[in-house]
Amino acid sequence: MTALFDLPLQRIDVGDGMHIAARVAGEGPPLLLLHGHPQTHVIWHRIWPALTQRYTCVAADLRGYGDSDKPAAAPDHAAHSKRVMAQDMVNLMGKLGHDRFDVLAHDRGARVAHRLGLDHAERVGRMMLLDIAPTLDMYQGTTRAFAQAYYHWFWLIQPAPMPETMIGHDPVFYVRAVMGGRPGGLAIFDARALAEYERCAALPGLPVGICEDYRASATLDLEHDREDRAAGRKLACPTRVLWGARGAVGRNFDVLGLWRAVADDVDGQALDAAHYLAEEVPDPVTANALAFFG
């Protein structure tokens, strides 16, 4: 079995001049895997061998991250809305021949997956989301404890170029500070994976991609979420949510309760981890994925 790191990296044209970087392997039903901040698709390397024995796995970098294209900022942040990011992934999977697929996603990628499931319900079979509550509920339910733990939610949305400049001054420090600042520190990460996160953090356009992603989540994405709730639109696909029992999301929010309010068919559980579930506790994540996706 070829390690995720060693597979060829494809850059696939998904339309409008946008290229999404992805690695593809395995046989069986298609499974799209999406990463979070400040990482890349490499987060799946510890569960990749088991998943590719059963599924055709597509591990992609979100626009603005990794080796995917990094569009310029827009005044309304629309180029980095979750609606646009979700369309990237629908187009990506279509280019690879998959009109319908399952989704496994973490953190920022899980927010893209949530929007994908709402906007393109006919394309998604099942969805498993790692360590998030719905974005709108997290902003509306912000407490001092949450704001202190997730300070980056509020710092990254400050007007340009302040956060971009600070990230760009020392992107490796930024990655290490953000990821190492959670329970478990940097010791939980494979050295090869960490080196890849650091390499990609130093790529031109990365600071803009990160900040615009978060600015969109605090503005345009919330408008889209409110519109869905006003119209009574919910996730229709079977959904499983996993979260870290020692992480900020699990400590500050009723994760399962909040998802049950916006999804028709959802279950889930806490795992003995903080935030980076696929790297901290790969065995239970793998077991859940194999049981849930079938």
Tab-separated table of all heavy atoms in Angstrom, residues 73 77 139 151-167 207-208 210-216 218-219:
chain	number	residue	atom	x	y	z
A	73	ALA	N	-8.100	38.194	-2.460
A	73	ALA	CA	-9.183	38.599	-1.568
A	73	ALA	C	-10.210	39.414	-2.350
A	73	ALA	O	-9.890	40.065	-3.346
A	73	ALA	CB	-8.633	39.418	-0.415
A	77	HIS	N	-15.539	38.863	0.412
A	77	HIS	CA	-14.956	37.570	0.785
A	77	HIS	C	-15.605	36.396	0.052
A	77	HIS	O	-15.450	35.239	0.456
A	77	HIS	CB	-15.038	37.350	2.309
A	77	HIS	CG	-14.713	38.560	3.107
A	77	HIS	ND1	-13.507	39.223	3.010
A	77	HIS	CD2	-15.464	39.276	4.006
A	77	HIS	CE1	-13.511	40.274	3.812
A	77	HIS	NE2	-14.682	40.334	4.411
A	139	TYR	N	-20.663	30.943	16.635
A	139	TYR	CA	-20.563	32.399	16.778
A	139	TYR	C	-21.620	32.929	17.744
A	139	TYR	O	-21.330	33.767	18.604
A	139	TYR	CB	-20.686	33.083	15.418
A	139	TYR	CG	-19.362	33.251	14.705
A	139	TYR	CD1	-19.107	32.603	13.498
A	139	TYR	CD2	-18.358	34.061	15.236
A	139	TYR	CE1	-17.887	32.759	12.846
A	139	TYR	CE2	-17.143	34.217	14.589
A	139	TYR	CZ	-16.911	33.565	13.399
A	139	TYR	OH	-15.700	33.719	12.760
A	151	TYR	N	-9.243	31.956	19.808
A	151	TYR	CA	-8.905	33.357	19.550
A	151	TYR	C	-8.715	33.636	18.067
A	151	TYR	O	-8.992	34.738	17.575
A	151	TYR	CB	-7.622	33.728	20.303
A	151	TYR	CG	-6.400	33.020	19.769
A	151	TYR	CD1	-5.616	33.594	18.770
A	151	TYR	CD2	-6.056	31.749	20.227
A	151	TYR	CE1	-4.514	32.926	18.251
A	151	TYR	CE2	-4.967	31.077	19.702
A	151	TYR	CZ	-4.204	31.659	18.722
A	151	TYR	OH	-3.138	30.988	18.197
A	152	HIS	N	-8.227	32.623	17.338
A	152	HIS	CA	-7.935	32.826	15.916
A	152	HIS	C	-9.202	33.118	15.121
A	152	HIS	O	-9.148	33.769	14.078
A	152	HIS	CB	-7.198	31.616	15.336
A	152	HIS	CG	-7.928	30.321	15.442
A	152	HIS	ND1	-8.098	29.664	16.637
A	152	HIS	CD2	-8.553	29.561	14.499
A	152	HIS	CE1	-8.784	28.551	16.436
A	152	HIS	NE2	-9.083	28.476	15.158
A	153	TRP	N	-10.356	32.671	15.592
A	153	TRP	CA	-11.612	32.979	14.903
A	153	TRP	C	-11.848	34.489	14.833
A	153	TRP	O	-12.509	34.968	13.918
A	153	TRP	CB	-12.786	32.319	15.633
A	153	TRP	CG	-13.094	30.929	15.173
A	153	TRP	CD1	-12.208	29.939	14.871
A	153	TRP	CD2	-14.392	30.385	14.976
A	153	TRP	NE1	-12.884	28.809	14.510
A	153	TRP	CE2	-14.218	29.043	14.572
A	153	TRP	CE3	-15.679	30.881	15.132
A	153	TRP	CZ2	-15.299	28.205	14.287
A	153	TRP	CZ3	-16.760	30.043	14.859
A	153	TRP	CH2	-16.570	28.726	14.438
A	154	PHE	N	-11.339	35.196	15.804
A	154	PHE	CA	-11.607	36.625	15.917
A	154	PHE	C	-10.410	37.469	15.461
A	154	PHE	O	-10.597	38.599	15.010
A	154	PHE	CB	-11.997	36.947	17.356
A	154	PHE	CG	-13.104	36.041	17.839
A	154	PHE	CD1	-12.821	34.892	18.571
A	154	PHE	CD2	-14.420	36.305	17.503
A	154	PHE	CE1	-13.839	34.038	18.969
A	154	PHE	CE2	-15.445	35.457	17.909
A	154	PHE	CZ	-15.148	34.312	18.639
A	155	TRP	N	-9.234	36.892	15.541
A	155	TRP	CA	-8.034	37.593	15.071
A	155	TRP	C	-7.921	37.537	13.547
A	155	TRP	O	-7.654	38.546	12.903
A	155	TRP	CB	-6.787	36.985	15.715
A	155	TRP	CG	-5.518	37.547	15.165
A	155	TRP	CD1	-5.114	38.851	15.190
A	155	TRP	CD2	-4.482	36.831	14.482
A	155	TRP	NE1	-3.887	38.986	14.574
A	155	TRP	CE2	-3.480	37.759	14.132
A	155	TRP	CE3	-4.306	35.485	14.149
A	155	TRP	CZ2	-2.322	37.388	13.457
A	155	TRP	CZ3	-3.150	35.113	13.473
A	155	TRP	CH2	-2.174	36.068	13.144
A	156	LEU	N	-8.177	36.370	12.955
A	156	LEU	CA	-8.010	36.219	11.515
A	156	LEU	C	-9.023	37.026	10.715
A	156	LEU	O	-8.795	37.299	9.527
A	156	LEU	CB	-8.109	34.739	11.127
A	156	LEU	CG	-6.972	33.846	11.629
A	156	LEU	CD1	-7.296	32.386	11.358
A	156	LEU	CD2	-5.650	34.224	10.975
A	157	ILE	N	-10.127	37.429	11.316
A	157	ILE	CA	-11.139	38.201	10.588
A	157	ILE	C	-10.896	39.704	10.668
A	157	ILE	O	-11.661	40.486	10.088
A	157	ILE	CB	-12.565	37.877	11.075
A	157	ILE	CG1	-12.790	38.357	12.499
A	157	ILE	CG2	-12.828	36.382	10.963
A	157	ILE	CD1	-14.230	38.172	12.988
A	158	GLN	N	-9.824	40.116	11.347
A	158	GLN	CA	-9.509	41.542	11.402
A	158	GLN	C	-9.132	42.040	9.995
A	158	GLN	O	-8.678	41.275	9.158
A	158	GLN	CB	-8.364	41.797	12.381
A	158	GLN	CG	-8.691	41.412	13.821
A	158	GLN	CD	-9.957	42.084	14.315
A	158	GLN	OE1	-10.090	43.317	14.252
A	158	GLN	NE2	-10.902	41.297	14.805
A	159	PRO	N	-9.307	43.337	9.735
A	159	PRO	CA	-9.067	43.839	8.375
A	159	PRO	C	-7.640	43.584	7.902
A	159	PRO	O	-6.685	43.652	8.670
A	159	PRO	CB	-9.349	45.344	8.510
A	159	PRO	CG	-10.270	45.466	9.683
A	159	PRO	CD	-9.845	44.387	10.625
A	160	ALA	N	-7.543	43.316	6.600
A	160	ALA	CA	-6.224	43.189	5.984
A	160	ALA	C	-5.514	44.547	6.027
A	160	ALA	O	-6.162	45.590	6.034
A	160	ALA	CB	-6.395	42.741	4.541
A	161	PRO	N	-4.181	44.527	6.087
A	161	PRO	CA	-3.287	43.362	5.972
A	161	PRO	C	-2.692	42.919	7.302
A	161	PRO	O	-1.667	42.238	7.290
A	161	PRO	CB	-2.199	43.894	5.048
A	161	PRO	CG	-2.028	45.326	5.519
A	161	PRO	CD	-3.411	45.796	5.890
A	162	MET	N	-3.284	43.301	8.424
A	162	MET	CA	-2.641	43.023	9.710
A	162	MET	C	-2.416	41.528	9.944
A	162	MET	O	-1.258	41.107	10.107
A	162	MET	CB	-3.423	43.654	10.861
A	162	MET	CG	-2.745	43.510	12.221
A	162	MET	SD	-3.252	42.023	13.120
A	162	MET	CE	-4.881	42.529	13.688
A	163	PRO	N	-3.460	40.678	9.944
A	163	PRO	CA	-3.162	39.270	10.225
A	163	PRO	C	-2.338	38.606	9.128
A	163	PRO	O	-1.476	37.776	9.425
A	163	PRO	CB	-4.548	38.632	10.373
A	163	PRO	CG	-5.489	39.584	9.714
A	163	PRO	CD	-4.906	40.939	9.867
A	164	GLU	N	-2.588	38.970	7.862
A	164	GLU	CA	-1.796	38.400	6.774
A	164	GLU	C	-0.315	38.718	6.946
A	164	GLU	O	0.545	37.848	6.725
A	164	GLU	CB	-2.268	38.951	5.426
A	164	GLU	CG	-3.623	38.441	4.970
A	164	GLU	CD	-4.763	39.355	5.366
A	164	GLU	OE1	-4.628	40.095	6.367
A	164	GLU	OE2	-5.799	39.326	4.678
A	165	THR	N	-0.016	39.943	7.320
A	165	THR	CA	1.377	40.349	7.489
A	165	THR	C	2.048	39.576	8.616
A	165	THR	O	3.201	39.125	8.490
A	165	THR	CB	1.465	41.855	7.769
A	165	THR	OG1	0.864	42.572	6.682
A	165	THR	CG2	2.908	42.315	7.933
A	166	MET	N	1.328	39.405	9.704
A	166	MET	CA	1.896	38.690	10.845
A	166	MET	C	2.127	37.220	10.530
A	166	MET	O	3.163	36.652	10.890
A	166	MET	CB	0.993	38.873	12.063
A	166	MET	CG	0.917	40.321	12.530
A	166	MET	SD	-0.236	40.582	13.899
A	166	MET	CE	0.662	39.802	15.241
A	167	ILE	N	1.177	36.581	9.850
A	167	ILE	CA	1.373	35.188	9.452
A	167	ILE	C	2.540	35.076	8.481
A	167	ILE	O	3.413	34.212	8.617
A	167	ILE	CB	0.093	34.618	8.812
A	167	ILE	CG1	-1.037	34.548	9.837
A	167	ILE	CG2	0.358	33.231	8.223
A	167	ILE	CD1	-2.390	34.244	9.230
A	207	PRO	N	-1.386	33.185	3.553
A	207	PRO	CA	-2.008	34.047	4.574
A	207	PRO	C	-3.341	34.643	4.135
A	207	PRO	O	-4.287	34.726	4.925
A	207	PRO	CB	-0.950	35.126	4.810
A	207	PRO	CG	0.355	34.464	4.459
A	207	PRO	CD	0.017	33.594	3.293
A	208	VAL	N	-3.422	35.050	2.872
A	208	VAL	CA	-4.682	35.588	2.358
A	208	VAL	C	-5.754	34.508	2.364
A	208	VAL	O	-6.907	34.744	2.768
A	208	VAL	CB	-4.501	36.147	0.932
A	208	VAL	CG1	-5.852	36.499	0.304
A	208	VAL	CG2	-3.599	37.369	0.951
A	210	ILE	N	-6.061	31.843	4.284
A	210	ILE	CA	-6.520	31.574	5.645
A	210	ILE	C	-7.451	32.678	6.132
A	210	ILE	O	-8.559	32.416	6.607
A	210	ILE	CB	-5.320	31.419	6.593
A	210	ILE	CG1	-4.585	30.102	6.337
A	210	ILE	CG2	-5.771	31.503	8.054
A	210	ILE	CD1	-3.349	29.930	7.180
A	211	CYS	N	-7.010	33.905	6.023
A	211	CYS	CA	-7.792	35.017	6.575
A	211	CYS	C	-9.118	35.184	5.847
A	211	CYS	O	-10.159	35.421	6.483
A	211	CYS	CB	-6.978	36.307	6.524
A	211	CYS	SG	-5.518	36.292	7.588
A	212	GLU	N	-9.111	35.052	4.532
A	212	GLU	CA	-10.356	35.199	3.782
A	212	GLU	C	-11.327	34.058	4.073
A	212	GLU	O	-12.546	34.251	4.100
A	212	GLU	CB	-10.061	35.297	2.293
A	212	GLU	CG	-9.499	36.643	1.876
A	212	GLU	CD	-10.519	37.761	2.046
A	212	GLU	OE1	-11.488	37.811	1.253
A	212	GLU	OE2	-10.358	38.581	2.974
A	213	ASP	N	-10.810	32.875	4.298
A	213	ASP	CA	-11.652	31.749	4.714
A	213	ASP	C	-12.420	32.111	5.984
A	213	ASP	O	-13.651	31.951	6.063
A	213	ASP	CB	-10.763	30.525	4.935
A	213	ASP	CG	-11.463	29.354	5.604
A	213	ASP	OD1	-12.702	29.293	5.589
A	213	ASP	OD2	-10.749	28.488	6.157
A	214	TYR	N	-11.716	32.624	6.972
A	214	TYR	CA	-12.360	32.960	8.249
A	214	TYR	C	-13.247	34.197	8.127
A	214	TYR	O	-14.314	34.267	8.757
A	214	TYR	CB	-11.301	33.144	9.337
A	214	TYR	CG	-10.810	31.826	9.888
A	214	TYR	CD1	-9.831	31.088	9.235
A	214	TYR	CD2	-11.344	31.305	11.065
A	214	TYR	CE1	-9.390	29.879	9.732
A	214	TYR	CE2	-10.911	30.080	11.564
A	214	TYR	CZ	-9.933	29.378	10.886
A	214	TYR	OH	-9.504	28.164	11.376
A	215	ARG	N	-12.831	35.169	7.324
A	215	ARG	CA	-13.678	36.354	7.143
A	215	ARG	C	-14.997	35.971	6.476
A	215	ARG	O	-16.062	36.482	6.838
A	215	ARG	CB	-12.932	37.405	6.322
A	215	ARG	CG	-11.782	38.064	7.065
A	215	ARG	CD	-11.054	39.066	6.184
A	215	ARG	NE	-9.868	39.603	6.867
A	215	ARG	CZ	-8.653	39.651	6.342
A	215	ARG	NH1	-8.444	39.203	5.100
A	215	ARG	NH2	-7.630	40.145	7.030
A	216	ALA	N	-14.928	35.070	5.501
A	216	ALA	CA	-16.158	34.609	4.855
A	216	ALA	C	-17.048	33.898	5.862
A	216	ALA	O	-18.282	34.067	5.853
A	216	ALA	CB	-15.818	33.683	3.690
A	218	ALA	N	-17.366	34.476	8.959
A	218	ALA	CA	-17.948	35.416	9.917
A	218	ALA	C	-18.928	36.385	9.263
A	218	ALA	O	-19.528	37.215	9.964
A	218	ALA	CB	-16.843	36.208	10.609
A	219	THR	N	-19.091	36.301	7.948
A	219	THR	CA	-19.957	37.245	7.236
A	219	THR	C	-20.886	36.508	6.283
A	219	THR	O	-22.000	36.119	6.654
A	219	THR	CB	-19.106	38.278	6.471
A	219	THR	OG1	-18.165	37.605	5.622
A	219	THR	CG2	-18.342	39.170	7.435
